[in-house]
Amino acid sequence: MPPKTRPVPRANYRNYLRKSDEFLRSARQAVDRRDWDAAVSHAIHAALCASDALAVFYSGSRPAGESHEETLRQLAGLRLDRGELDRNLTHLRALLQLKTTAEYEDRLLGEREASVSVQHAERFREWATTKLPASD
């Protein structure tokens, strides 16, 4: 079954990339403040916005399902080099594994999870930008 999506004008990929920038900047600032859970949460959203930018640019739609598995499935269906895509989806998967803990559970995350999450978001976003037109 194909992922559930909603149409978005292709030019709007820039908006998702801008959101990704903002969330990544916020994640870095949260690390500086030692706000570990906020850093992880914002890193996750930075990567998700970068993935939305890719989806919008390449397919004219973004995931609309309730599960982030929809995001992964939509990205997997894009016409990008399979090996490169798989390598970079590992960053997004690693982030999504922490989403529930960071945002909904009573367990607090620490410096290591925050730092690793920001690195995953940076790497995923950096790769995503190489697959999109240069910003104006």
Side-chain angles (χ1 to χ4, degrees), residues 64-86:
E66 293 182 24
S67 165
H68 290 297
E69 284 300 315
E70 299 283 334
T71 298
L72 295 170
R73 285 194 3 235
Q74 185 177 17
L75 289 176
L78 298 181
R79 292 187 175 172
L80 295 170
D81 177 82
R82 177 65 45 210
E84 189 178 344
L85 179 61
D86 289 345

Side-chain angles (χ1 to χ4, degrees), residues 4 14 52 56 65 85 91-93 104 110 118 120 122 133:
K4 185 176 177 182
R14 291 180 188 92
D52 285 345
V56 167
L85 179 61
H91 298 299
L92 185 56
R93 283 188 186 97
Y104 306 111
V118 170
H120 280 303
E122 288 171 338

Side-chain angles (χ1 to χ4, degrees), residues 16-17 23 51 57 66 70 74 89 107 111 117 124:
Y16 292 101
L17 209 50
F23 278 120
S51 73
F57 181 76
E66 293 182 24
E70 299 283 334
Q74 185 177 17
L89 283 180
R107 180 171 79 86
E111 181 176 8
S117 294
F124 184 80

Side-chain angles (χ1 to χ4, degrees), residues 7-136:
V8 178
R10 287 181 197 266
N12 287 3
Y13 82 90
R14 291 180 188 92
N15 297 351
Y16 292 101
L17 209 50
R18 181 175 171 180
K19 289 178 184 198
S20 178
D21 288 341
E22 291 176 9
F23 278 120
L24 188 54
R25 189 169 44 252
S26 182
R28 290 174 181 144
Q29 291 166 349
V31 167
D32 291 342
R33 290 189 313 269
R34 302 175 61 85
D35 293 339
W36 311 130
D37 290 276
V40 172
S41 183
H42 288 197
I44 293 164
H45 288 284
L48 286 170
C49 287
S51 73
D52 285 345
L54 286 170
V56 167
F57 181 76
Y58 284 96
S59 70
S61 65
R62 65 178 292 274
E66 293 182 24
S67 165
H68 290 297
E69 284 300 315
E70 299 283 334
T71 298
L72 295 170
R73 285 194 3 235
Q74 185 177 17
L75 289 176
L78 298 181
R79 292 187 175 172
L80 295 170
D81 177 82
R82 177 65 45 210
E84 189 178 344
L85 179 61
D86 289 345
R87 278 192 306 279
N88 286 284
L89 283 180
T90 61
H91 298 299
L92 185 56
R93 283 188 186 97
L95 288 163
L96 291 175
Q97 287 177 348
L98 285 174
K99 188 175 190 313
T100 298
T101 303
E103 297 181 1
Y104 306 111
E105 292 181 3
D106 60 356
R107 180 171 79 86
L108 297 174
L109 298 174
E111 181 176 8
R112 172 133 174 72
E113 289 113 335
S115 296
V116 168
S117 294
V118 170
Q119 286 178 341
H120 280 303
E122 288 171 338
R123 289 174 183 160
F124 184 80
R125 192 197 170 287
E126 182 179 316
W127 168 76
T129 59
T130 69
K131 301 299 163 197
L132 296 167
S135 297
D136 298 337

